Amino acid sequence: MRNCLGFLVLFFLFGSCTTENLDQHPNIIWITCEDISPTLSFYGDSSAQTPVLDRLAEQSLIYDNAFATVGVCAPSRSSIITGMYPVSIGTHNMRTGRDYSGWGTRLYNGESDAIDIDGKKVPLYSAVIPSEVKCFTEYLRAAGYFCSNNAKTDYQFAAPLTAWDENGPQAHWKHRKTGQPFFAVFNHEVTHESRMWMNKNLPMTVDPNTVHLPPYFPNDSVVRNDVARNYSNIELLDQQVGEKLKELEEAGVLDNTIIFFFSDHGGPLPRGKREHYDSGLRVPFLVKFPGDGNFERVDDLISFVDLAPTILSLAGIEAPEYMQGQAFLGKYKSKTERKYIYGSGDRFDEFSDRIRSIRNHRFMYVRNYHPELPAYKDVSYRKQMDMMNQLLTLKDEGHLNEDQLYFFRETKLDEEFYDCTIDSFQLHNLIDQPEYTNEIEELRKAMNTWQVSVGDLGFIPEHDLFLQMWPDGIQPQTADPILEIYNHEITASSTTVGASLAYILSDENFVPDLDSGWQLYNGPIVNASSKYIYIIAVRIGFKDSEIVKISLNE
């Protein structure tokens, strides 16, 4: 900890800098984490001691109303990387396949890889999204950025070779060419739900007797212990963030690097992750510009669909029209503030449902398409957590109060409505209160409009949606690239609509793998002096084409 604090003195001694005088292509780094809500001191909860994040916050824009699109990892990450709502591109069911990267092929075969969804077997699959939709990093690479991801993807589809220069546990912005701007992601798993039990035997650095408990948790020793474990994991995260910031300082790139810090969705505890309430969707979110930064609390509503267009905007790139988010920073910042936040919940592992939520600054409206289903989903994964099992025991023994039982409702109402200014935990449904009629109707209509505008696919049973993506249950394949060489100029294309291409120029005759240094094809290659070109065509959700190798000396 001494090293982190010593570094902080150096880290914040640079002169001030504003967004207006940044370089045209600033470096951008995402320091992301998993599964934490705004349970940090700069959001009013000092249970965890986080000196690095506290100091970073003092020099940052602190967004008080930042929300994921879904309260669980893979659908949320699909919206982050594409700038699209998961319900719009078919990535809304958690999860479609394992976290794998590149070679857009389904890696699994047989009934053992299928899950039973509403009585029909659905295999693990890579979601086929609309042909025009790309990973936003492809646009950064086309503009000259070096893009690295260390290391998680989990997009509901295999990360295409065109998305990242480097993708994996060794990926790092330090591997870029001299002077090349970078966009780098470092994902920290120490706060993930699984660390609630995986870190069980690590030293507890937060006293269970002093932790803050929301009203939906009982004052119980097992509960307090797991809540303290969560805060202790956050303290470990704080140290890891300090190490990443120190790297930037020592490399001398802080004077042209924009730093983002956020979580992929809400916290790991019961009634947090997988929920469509603030406890599942609201996240901590900081943006620090170079130098002393620009400390400000920002009340604007922002959604994870806004991240892709915002990063492009900061890099001086106008987002493509298909993106459903809007830039909240940079050259192409939207002239209008976001009015609503939209959330969704569909399948979570072995349990299916369909829930949609909409929120403005004050009110939240929820629509339950299956009110006959329980509010609580008995997901086996989270029952590895002591606290989850203890809550179930306390429920069965009649030791939970009304607020604590709200999570365990046996059925749901068709609609829910909450005044978040007086009910920040969304525990008291006001849908039948006549004094809120106008506000309910406003959000009801806005929900309808949004669902039509984004083409909400949630009404399609997942088995049918899978067959739309993979006709006859067979993954479509990207057509092989077509190369033309004329007058020392190489052009490439694919007949598959929406395909992108990646290539390698090399003097070696070899078989490329995922880490062979694939470059994004972004127009004719001129005066290539290498002996061979290797080229592949990819489309998200499709199996990749075969690799075409051409000798350039013939």
Side-chain angles (χ1 to χ4, degrees), residues 107 169 242 313 326 330 338 356 390 396 406 417 441-442 529:
L107 304 181
S313 176
Q326 60 188 53
R338 174 176 287 283
R356 300 292 179 264
Q390 180 70 350
D396 292 341
Y406 196 63
F417 184 79
E441 188 59 26
E442 176 196 340
S529 59

Side-chain angles (χ1 to χ4, degrees), residues 145-167:
Y145 270 78
F146 179 86
C147 295
S148 63
N149 182 57
N150 187 332
K152 193 170 185 178
T153 52
D154 207 11
Y155 304 143
Q156 305 276 58
F157 50 79
L161 286 171
T162 50
W164 301 101
D165 289 278
E166 291 185 353
N167 180 24

Side-chain angles (χ1 to χ4, degrees), residues 477-505:
Q477 183 167 10
T478 316
D480 289 352
I482 302 168
L483 270 72
E484 296 182 5
I485 303 176
Y486 178 74
N487 198 24
H488 303 290
E489 183 175 279
I490 305 169
T491 59
S493 61
S494 171
T495 58
T496 298
V497 176
S500 297
L501 295 106
Y503 71 94
I504 299 168
L505 290 171

Side-chain angles (χ1 to χ4, degrees), residues 226-397:
D226 269 358
V227 172
R229 175 75 270 158
N230 179 44
Y231 282 118
S232 296
N233 289 343
I234 290 174
E235 292 192 347
L236 292 173
L237 168 69
D238 190 68
Q239 296 176 40
Q240 294 179 3
V241 172
E243 292 167 3
K244 288 295 180 294
L245 297 177
K246 184 178 180 181
E247 265 192 329
L248 291 169
E249 187 270 329
E250 289 181 341
V253 295
L254 276 173
D255 56 349
N256 192 28
T257 300
I258 302 171
I259 301 167
F260 283 67
F261 169 79
F262 60 93
S263 174
D264 62 346
H265 51 72
L269 302 176
R271 223 273 185 172
K273 186 173 183 176
R274 302 177 187 87
E275 293 298 318
H276 49 280
Y277 303 115
D278 283 5
S279 53
L281 299 183
R282 187 165 169 252
V283 297
F285 199 98
L286 304 177
V287 182
K288 183 195 177 298
F289 287 94
D292 289 338
N294 305 90
F295 170 75
E296 182 182 346
R297 297 205 80 97
V298 183
D299 190 47
D300 298 354
L301 297 169
I302 66 169
S303 168
F304 274 2
V305 292
D306 301 330
L307 281 172
T310 296
I311 298 304
L312 295 179
S313 176
L314 288 169
I317 304 166
E318 188 170 12
E321 290 187 3
Y322 70 75
M323 282 190 180
Q324 292 164 338
Q326 60 188 53
F328 55 86
L329 292 168
K331 180 178 180 181
Y332 297 101
K333 178 180 177 180
S334 174
K335 293 182 173 63
T336 58
E337 290 185 10
R338 174 176 287 283
K339 192 173 182 181
Y340 303 113
I341 290 294
Y342 304 95
S344 62
D346 293 270
R347 178 171 61 80
F348 297 109
D349 297 347
E350 68 268 42
F351 289 89
S352 294
D353 204 336
R354 188 185 178 201
I355 302 169
R356 300 292 179 264
S357 64
I358 180 173
R359 192 196 199 285
N360 58 24
H361 276 95
R362 179 174 176 181
F363 299 108
M364 174 183 289
Y365 166 82
V366 177
R367 182 175 295 163
N368 293 305
Y369 286 87
H370 295 286
E372 76 282 3
L373 295 176
Y376 166 70
K377 294 167 181 62
D378 197 37
V379 175
S380 58
Y381 184 79
R382 72 172 155 207
K383 290 173 78 173
Q384 298 174 82
M385 195 186 312
D386 291 343
M387 174 181 176
M388 186 67 252
N389 295 301
Q390 180 70 350
L391 289 175
L392 290 170
T393 297
L394 293 173
K395 175 182 76 74
D396 292 341
E397 294 177 350

